[in-house]
Amino acid sequence: MLPGRFPSRRFGVYNDVQLRSVFTTVTLVAALVGGAIGASPAIAAENPYERGPAPTNSSIEASRGSFAVSETSVSSLSVTGFGGGTIYYPTSTSAGTFGAIAVSPGYTGTQSSISWLGPRIASQGFVVFTIDTITTLDQPDSRASQLLAALDYLTQRSAVRARIDATRLGVMGHSMGGGGTLRAAANRPALQAAIPLTGWHTDKTWGDVRVPTLVVGADGDTIAPVATHSKPFYNSLPSSLDRAYLELRGATHFTPNSSNTTIAKYSISWLKRFIDNDTRYEQFLCPTPSSSLLIAEFRGNCPHSS
């Protein structure tokens, strides 16, 4: 055998030219595999705001998500512009910062009436501030200002401000708090999501809202009937806006004041989709859910824009 040569192919091995070809092929495959492996973090990094495991129907219907939750009270004496409240937040900081939501009660209500939303949403990977208003008789536009003041407090002064991404904020509210939610969205277009729950407002036109909005109404609401409140609210939103309308079946104006799986499921999906830009939750919003024993109607823009 000549120096620098390998036995011929017919003996089950290759000559030097053929071997170089094999080495080239192996190197190329290794590069491709390595590139694919190396691309995984890049793919994951496409959305750095994803928090928690991939969702399932049962995970978003559960009373608690994957994050352990702590809470802290905020005295009305220590804040201005709203009436204090309770902050619910993921205990661990290992996942990074979180989006945040302020939630307002309705007319004559206190934060206790919407407190169930705090730990339920926070356990899915959000900081949630259920607030008291300055007085229980405050009107919707006052509640709007208070929701925004609460968000400013959360991101600038609160004990959990380091846990919050101030670019990813949303608002929710019940009844007049729902009307306040719409006004807050109109006044601060940088918000990422708004969810009025059986909202009440004398203004029925919201064409200036630029915030993705999920309007939740109740078929048995006699205080803010859907025909004169939630449906006109939804219909007046820009047709180009990411928007949805959920009408609860067998529900009343006060259904949002107690734990409700349907409200939680679609609120969490909406907040995840638009505050966290987490398209893993798109499956629960698009195609729009069909009418059922729990849903009288669901309408929306599908598919949502990226």
Side-chain angles (χ1 to χ4, degrees), residues 50-74:
E50 285 184 5
R51 299 291 182 266
T56 64
N57 203 58
S58 60
S59 75
I60 59 172
E61 289 186 349
S63 61
R64 291 293 182 273
S66 61
F67 290 89
V69 173
S70 298
E71 64 181 82
T72 184
S73 296
V74 178

Side-chain angles (χ1 to χ4, degrees), residues 85-110:
T86 303
I87 302 172
Y88 302 86
Y89 57 95
T91 304
S92 173
T93 59
S94 62
T97 57
F98 299 93
I101 304 102
V103 190
S104 168
Y107 188 68
T108 74
T110 65

Side-chain angles (χ1 to χ4, degrees), residues 141-175:
D141 288 355
S142 173
R143 292 168 191 267
S145 298
Q146 294 181 58
L147 282 166
L148 297 179
L151 288 178
D152 292 342
Y153 172 82
L154 265 183
T155 58
Q156 298 169 21
R157 294 181 50 211
S158 76
V160 300
R161 61 188 180 277
R163 299 170 185 261
I164 299 170
D165 181 345
T167 68
R168 297 188 292 124
L169 306 176
V171 285
M172 297 178 68
H174 170 242
S175 190

Side-chain angles (χ1 to χ4, degrees), residues 194-210:
I195 306 178
L197 303 169
T198 59
W200 188 100
H201 204 295
T202 55
D203 190 347
K204 313 300 180 185
T205 56
W206 298 96
D208 55 347
V209 171
R210 297 294 181 268

Side-chain angles (χ1 to χ4, degrees), residues 117-295:
L117 288 163
R120 190 150 185 174
I121 295 176
S123 68
Q124 296 285 347
F126 293 99
V127 175
V128 183
F129 197 1
T130 57
I131 69 168
D132 278 316
T133 46
I134 296 171
T135 80
T136 59
L137 307 182
D138 291 336
Q139 296 297 297
D141 288 355
S142 173
R143 292 168 191 267
S145 298
Q146 294 181 58
L147 282 166
L148 297 179
L151 288 178
D152 292 342
Y153 172 82
L154 265 183
T155 58
Q156 298 169 21
R157 294 181 50 211
S158 76
V160 300
R161 61 188 180 277
R163 299 170 185 261
I164 299 170
D165 181 345
T167 68
R168 297 188 292 124
L169 306 176
V171 285
M172 297 178 68
H174 170 242
S175 190
M176 284 194 180
T181 294
L182 287 165
R183 183 67 73 202
N187 289 347
R188 189 173 291 184
L191 295 175
Q192 300 296 300
I195 306 178
L197 303 169
T198 59
W200 188 100
H201 204 295
T202 55
D203 190 347
K204 313 300 180 185
T205 56
W206 298 96
D208 55 347
V209 171
R210 297 294 181 268
V211 178
T213 301
L214 168 64
V215 177
V216 179
D219 63 351
D221 193 336
T222 58
I223 295 174
V226 294
T228 54
H229 288 77
S230 292
K231 284 185 174 179
F233 296 162
Y234 172 80
N235 290 334
S236 71
L237 293 169
S239 59
S240 60
L241 183 70
D242 287 309
R243 59 177 183 163
Y245 172 74
L246 165 62
E247 185 174 319
L248 304 170
R249 188 185 298 279
T252 72
H253 184 69
F254 298 104
T255 293
N257 288 159
S258 57
S259 182
N260 183 281
T261 296
T262 305
I263 291 174
K265 175 180 181 177
Y266 294 106
S267 294
I268 290 165
S269 297
W270 195 261
L271 297 170
K272 284 286 191 179
R273 176 63 184 82
F274 293 106
I275 290 182
D276 287 355
N277 194 32
D278 194 337
T279 55
R280 298 179 300 174
Y281 289 80
E282 183 82 354
Q283 62 182 301
F284 307 110
L285 302 169
C286 297
T288 53
S290 302
S291 297
S292 65
L293 292 175
L294 299 174
I295 298 174

